[in-house]
Amino acid sequence: MARDLRGFLKLLEERGQLRRIKALVDPDLEIAEISNRMLQCGGPGLLFENVKGSPYPVAVNLLGTEQRVCLSMNMETPQELEELGKKLGMLQQPKPPKKISQAIDFGKVLFDVVKAKPGRNFFPPCQQVVIEGNDIDLNLIPMIRPYPKDAGKIITLGLVITKDCETGTPNVGVYRLQLQSKNTMTVHWLSVRGGARHLRKAAEKGKKLEIAIALGVDPLIIMAAATPIPVDLSEWLFAGLYGGSGVQLAKCKTVDLEVPADSEFVLEGTITPGEMLPDGPFGDHMGYYGGVEDSPLIRFQCITHRQDPIYLTTFSGRPPKEEAMMAIALNRIYTPILRQQVSEIVDFFLPMEALSYKAAIISIDKAYPGQARRAALAFWSALPQFTYTKFVIVVDKEINIRDPRQVVWAISSKVDPSRDVFILPDTPFDTLDFASQKIGLGGRMGIDATTKIPPETNHEWGEPLESDVDVAERVTKRWAEYGLTDVNLTEVDPNKFGYEIR
């Protein structure tokens, strides 16, 4: 696959996963409404070729299914993502090899790191057109406004690139930006993020913070930038590991930063510490409008772009959204790393309906009493991204944690609320979560839905119902004889069981 946005669009089109829309559409509300309907039904990616007020097409919903997220990472199945997670786990906590095979495996990972080193492109496509000074007009970029009460137009899938003024170490993040004028935008980032730390350091030195926004990049690089795994590697190296070869970078025209050479647009500017403007409200991933916050103001002095550039965007909101699909893929990558941190965990799942981080279901190979509670507590502290997980449900390894019917059965048949539910009060909480009494502080709940063993219970547990092995085998062999081969036993329609899923 070509390592740029255009190559990915071509791949999706070849797979029948892209629709070109030639009708005139409005970036104000209309594009998001169309895209949202596609997301709800797992529909194709969209390329709007005729956008009101802009000469540039808009691509959206490219990562709207788990399959397309896998394709963006040069993979065909979600299971392959776990192999990538094993590589990252070996880099995060390398262990001395005990066998020749382990040494060979680790050597392969180190070779992958060497291949992943970024390269330099001295004639980058992203600088085919250069616009500076008074000629800059951000209004020509077809930024969308997703919801009626949103404060304005936004950029959502831009790589926001800054650099530590002391060490020179770059940070690549994906933050929301709000259009403020023809040459200014505000950036919304949490105080713990890399860009915010760089701004604080620049303020201490009395310097402006240089910043670059790369738009329309290879979705694989977006996945790398969105991966909050605590490994001491740059996002560029992550992207190289994900893709199997190094990202080609280009030096910006007016700031001392590097961007992906095949970006569709690059916005170059500076932030003066202390210069702020109100940002928001906007619809967020919780499914509500967020608040208004004073946020750093970026003043842009240069825009570069490819010939006939394509604008890539997305938007947040109640799942399913593209961010939820990305989280499902990241869930697979985390799994081997989490197993390395908490050895008893067999598998774990962050359901999209729980905003991909509010509730976790983990399965364990239970060996001793109290192990489910220990696993839940270990999960909360295993990786930083699980800090805001409100609910942890622990089940036996035999339960398919990705089948909600099995999980609900486990909770209903194995849980005594007075014994198996425990609550941790007053823990750090997501400030976007309105359910808590105090913003930023709330409780967590653990649910032990495993089979109980003494002394967790003082009575015999019921014997689970299972088919007779010989009869089951005979039925399988005679299935064609019954005339039932046309019945597909592997596809289940939940609406036939009382659900209403549309």
Side-chain angles (χ1 to χ4, degrees), residues 258-287:
E258 292 182 317
V259 295
D262 289 317
S263 304
E264 296 290 325
F265 294 88
V266 176
L267 316 181
E268 303 178 12
T270 59
I271 299 175
T272 301
E275 193 170 13
M276 317 273 277
L277 280 181
D279 184 286
F282 287 101
D284 65 40
H285 65 280
M286 295 290 292

Side-chain angles (χ1 to χ4, degrees), residues 67 111 121 140 163 179 257 268 277 308 322 324 400 445:
Q67 178 195 20
F111 182 62
N121 188 324
L140 292 177
K163 188 162 64 174
L179 181 67
L257 295 169
E268 303 178 12
L277 280 181
D308 303 317
E322 288 184 74
N400 179 359
M445 176 186 288

Side-chain angles (χ1 to χ4, degrees), residues 8 12 15-21 34-47 60-69 71 320-322 325 502:
F8 187 57
L12 293 186
R15 297 289 187 100
Q17 289 287 312
L18 182 73
R19 291 287 184 89
R20 293 177 179 267
I21 311 297
I34 298 167
S35 177
N36 195 42
R37 296 187 185 190
M38 287 290 102
L39 288 163
Q40 297 295 322
C41 68
L46 302 172
L47 183 63
V60 67
N61 194 22
L62 300 193
L63 300 176
T65 64
E66 186 180 27
Q67 178 195 20
R68 294 204 292 275
V69 174
L71 289 176
K321 296 290 182 289
E322 288 184 74
M325 296 301 108
R502 298 182 176 86

Side-chain angles (χ1 to χ4, degrees), residues 63 69 157 222-223 226 322-331:
L63 300 176
V69 174
L157 275 185
I222 295 172
M223 290 298 298
E322 288 184 74
E323 60 192 1
M325 296 301 108
M326 294 166 66
I328 288 173
L330 293 174
N331 186 162

Side-chain angles (χ1 to χ4, degrees), residues 223-440:
M223 290 298 298
T227 304
I229 298 174
V231 180
D232 190 20
L233 298 173
S234 76
E235 288 83 0
W236 304 134
L237 203 54
F238 261 135
L241 284 171
Y242 282 7
S245 61
V247 176
Q248 293 297 300
L249 300 176
K251 191 168 174 25
C252 288
K253 288 287 187 181
T254 63
V255 293
D256 186 22
L257 295 169
E258 292 182 317
V259 295
D262 289 317
S263 304
E264 296 290 325
F265 294 88
V266 176
L267 316 181
E268 303 178 12
T270 59
I271 299 175
T272 301
E275 193 170 13
M276 317 273 277
L277 280 181
D279 184 286
F282 287 101
D284 65 40
H285 65 280
M286 295 290 292
Y288 303 98
Y289 288 98
V292 179
E293 294 183 43
D294 285 340
S295 299
L297 182 70
I298 309 171
R299 295 187 179 275
F300 294 104
Q301 67 266 5
C302 181
I303 296 177
T304 69
H305 63 75
R306 298 178 67 154
Q307 296 286 357
D308 303 317
I310 300 167
Y311 178 64
L312 176 63
T313 190
T314 189
F315 55 99
S316 293
R318 184 175 172 180
K321 296 290 182 289
E322 288 184 74
E323 60 192 1
M325 296 301 108
M326 294 166 66
I328 288 173
L330 293 174
N331 186 162
R332 292 279 190 177
I333 295 171
Y334 295 151
T335 301
I337 298 170
L338 184 59
R339 288 194 194 111
Q340 192 167 298
Q341 300 280 88
V342 188
S343 58
E344 58 255 80
I345 290 180
V346 174
D347 200 0
F348 92 109
F349 181 51
L350 301 168
M352 173 185 70
E353 293 76 14
L355 306 174
S356 303
Y357 73 105
K358 286 295 181 183
I361 306 163
I362 63 178
S363 61
I364 64 171
D365 187 2
K366 187 169 180 177
Y368 56 85
Q371 189 176 9
R373 184 171 299 209
R374 179 198 178 282
L377 294 170
F379 173 86
W380 274 312
S381 59
L383 294 172
Q385 53 268 34
F386 303 144
T387 300
Y388 297 145
T389 302
K390 282 198 285 188
F391 305 100
V392 175
I393 302 165
V394 187
V395 299
D396 295 312
K397 65 179 181 179
E398 293 79 16
I399 297 295
N400 179 359
I401 59 176
R402 290 172 177 80
D403 183 344
R405 297 171 304 167
Q406 293 193 36
V407 174
V408 171
W409 175 80
I411 294 172
S412 302
S413 66
K414 297 175 186 287
V415 172
D416 176 351
S418 65
R419 175 194 61 200
D420 300 327
V421 174
F422 63 96
I423 294 174
L424 305 180
D426 297 331
T427 62
F429 221 54
D430 185 352
T431 56
L432 294 174
D433 194 326
F434 299 133
S436 60
Q437 286 186 334
K438 302 174 183 177
I439 295 298

Side-chain angles (χ1 to χ4, degrees), residues 7-27:
F8 187 57
L9 288 169
K10 183 174 182 290
L11 175 65
L12 293 186
E13 200 153 30
E14 290 170 350
R15 297 289 187 100
Q17 289 287 312
L18 182 73
R19 291 287 184 89
R20 293 177 179 267
I21 311 297
K22 299 186 182 300
L24 180 67
V25 294
D26 196 330

